[in-house]
Amino acid sequence: MEEKKFDVNSLIGFVLIGAILVWMLYLNKPTEEEIQAEKVKTEAAAKENLAAEQVESKEVTIEEATQELSVANTGDSLALDKLKNILGSFAYSGTLPSATNATTILENEVLALKVSNKGGYIIEARLKEHSTYDSIPVYLIKEGNASFNLMFSAENRLLNSEDLFFEPSLSKNGDNSVLTMRLKTSENAFIEYRYELLPDEYMLDFSLRTQGLEGVLNTSQPIHLDWNIKGYRHAKSITYENRYSRLTYEYEDGKHSKLSPAGEDDEIEKNVTWMNFRQHFFSSMLLTDTPFKEVKFTSVDLVKDETIDTVFTKQYGARMLLEPKGGSLAYDMNMYYGPTDYQIFKKYDRNLDEAMPLGWGIFGMINKYVIIPLFGFLSSFLPAGIAIICLTILLKLILSPVQYKQYLSQAKLKVLKPELDAIKEKHGDNKMKLQQETM
């Protein structure tokens, strides 16, 4: 067996390779400036990860992060980081004094509205001149029965306006009251809801627009406006009220349709111009100058047992697809909260009378062109109760010739009844003889 000898040349090779590696590391070592920059970068990343982990571990909500920020101060970096992690640029709205659940009142002689900073939408709508069957003021919106939510994508986040805080500003435009609600990312960049209420009107102007958000909003993703209402019961007979509570709408250049009054129903329509969440005697409507490209309507009957389910009638919903132009949103609309009144609807010249339950066929035509105009004429100078009595008397007089003939026929049959009974007894089951004798 041959003895292995130590290889000197291999040892020299390993030493030289090691020396070259050490020399290369020495030449490529980072400068003092590079070391400091890397240290700052590492600390910033660690701080960001810590904030994210704290938010995730505590499951901080938008409202909790906003409250934490307001309780501390706008300079609290950790609280602000939590909010930015959830909202991105829209965290700015949480740093403003308006980031609370405060409300603003917008009203005229017939309508009182309450608009919340949170979500920027109407959370209470009261009709001043109307009451329910048990003398309670009529509220179409109250205590969370309605929502109005803009769903959009911004900076890789899916956001809902109903969770965010708007900044209110109340002003006057002549005799009109104007309320602007702005959801801000900076002083000059925002989503704006603008409400303008005219004197003695149930209809108000409403607009939705964005400014300075072209680099924030992701307009390649769908943007939806979601409106939902649970209709309060107002009439004594919930059966009768529920039967005439319907979701009606106009679409595709003047077509009209409605969802089923019973059970659950849904429909997707194109180019919708208005919708009415009708609660029989009262209506909540949304109208738009620019038709909504697509709307998904839903209607659910909430009255399963009339002895128990006596608060709400229907659950209505409309999810509207909005179309941005040039990276911005701009929609001029109207809202209506008021009575389901043919004369009021007619004056707006928007085919709103199609939302009225006028009856089918010839009866609908008579109601539309005879009964309603006649009642409108009478009620213009008489109290409503007296007008109804006068209308009833007039209709009885108009129909009296027809009713006279009916009464005359009934009287003749009454006189002939003994003879007819005798014929039936005489001929029994012989139908031919019975018919001949009767004639």
Side-chain angles (χ1 to χ4, degrees), residues 279-420:
Q279 298 158 235
H280 193 192
F281 297 112
F282 304 99
S283 291
S284 303
M285 307 183 74
L286 182 66
L287 306 87
T288 177
D289 294 342
T290 304
F292 298 121
K293 181 179 179 181
E294 181 180 283
V295 181
K296 181 179 180 180
F297 294 108
T298 57
S299 176
V300 180
D301 187 355
L302 300 178
V303 183
K304 307 302 181 185
D305 185 341
E306 293 182 5
T307 63
I308 300 174
D309 306 321
T310 58
V311 178
F312 299 104
T313 55
K314 298 289 197 310
Q315 167 79 56
Y316 297 125
R319 175 165 291 189
M320 297 149 267
L321 178 63
L322 304 185
E323 290 186 287
K325 294 181 179 179
S328 301
L329 292 173
Y331 278 83
D332 291 324
M333 295 177 267
N334 297 94
M335 290 179 169
Y336 178 90
Y337 296 101
T340 306
D341 188 296
Y342 181 85
Q343 300 297 337
I344 295 176
F345 286 178
K346 194 68 178 175
K347 75 176 183 178
Y348 294 117
D349 197 26
R350 297 283 295 268
N351 296 323
L352 302 185
D353 54 293
E354 296 291 341
M356 294 284 297
L358 298 177
W360 57 273
I362 187 64
F363 300 105
M365 301 292 288
I366 293 172
N367 284 329
K368 185 173 183 179
Y369 295 109
V370 178
I371 305 300
I372 291 176
L374 185 56
F375 177 75
F377 170 73
L378 293 173
S379 61
S380 65
F381 59 88
L382 293 174
I386 303 299
I388 291 172
I389 294 172
C390 292
L391 179 61
T392 304
I393 294 172
L394 284 173
L395 291 176
K396 287 289 186 181
L397 291 174
I398 292 170
L399 296 174
S400 59
V402 177
Q403 289 181 330
Y404 173 75
K405 289 184 178 181
Q406 289 178 341
Y407 293 149
L408 187 60
S409 297
Q410 289 174 1
K412 289 179 178 179
L413 286 173
K414 189 175 182 180
V415 171
L416 293 173
K417 189 174 186 304
E419 296 183 40
L420 294 175

Side-chain angles (χ1 to χ4, degrees), residues 126-181:
R126 175 172 60 89
L127 308 187
K128 293 184 174 181
E129 298 183 343
H130 297 270
S131 58
T132 65
Y133 71 98
D134 49 358
S135 302
I136 296 174
V138 169
Y139 287 89
L140 300 186
I141 298 176
K142 186 182 180 182
E143 297 177 350
N145 73 313
S147 65
F148 192 81
N149 180 37
L150 183 67
M151 297 176 288
F152 59 95
S153 178
E155 300 169 324
N156 296 321
R157 296 169 173 84
L158 185 62
L159 300 178
N160 293 281
S161 65
E162 65 181 358
D163 298 326
L164 309 179
F165 292 96
F166 288 65
E167 185 179 60
S169 176
L170 192 60
S171 61
K172 283 284 188 178
N173 180 18
D175 293 332
N176 303 345
S177 299
V178 179
L179 175 62
T180 57
M181 305 293 292

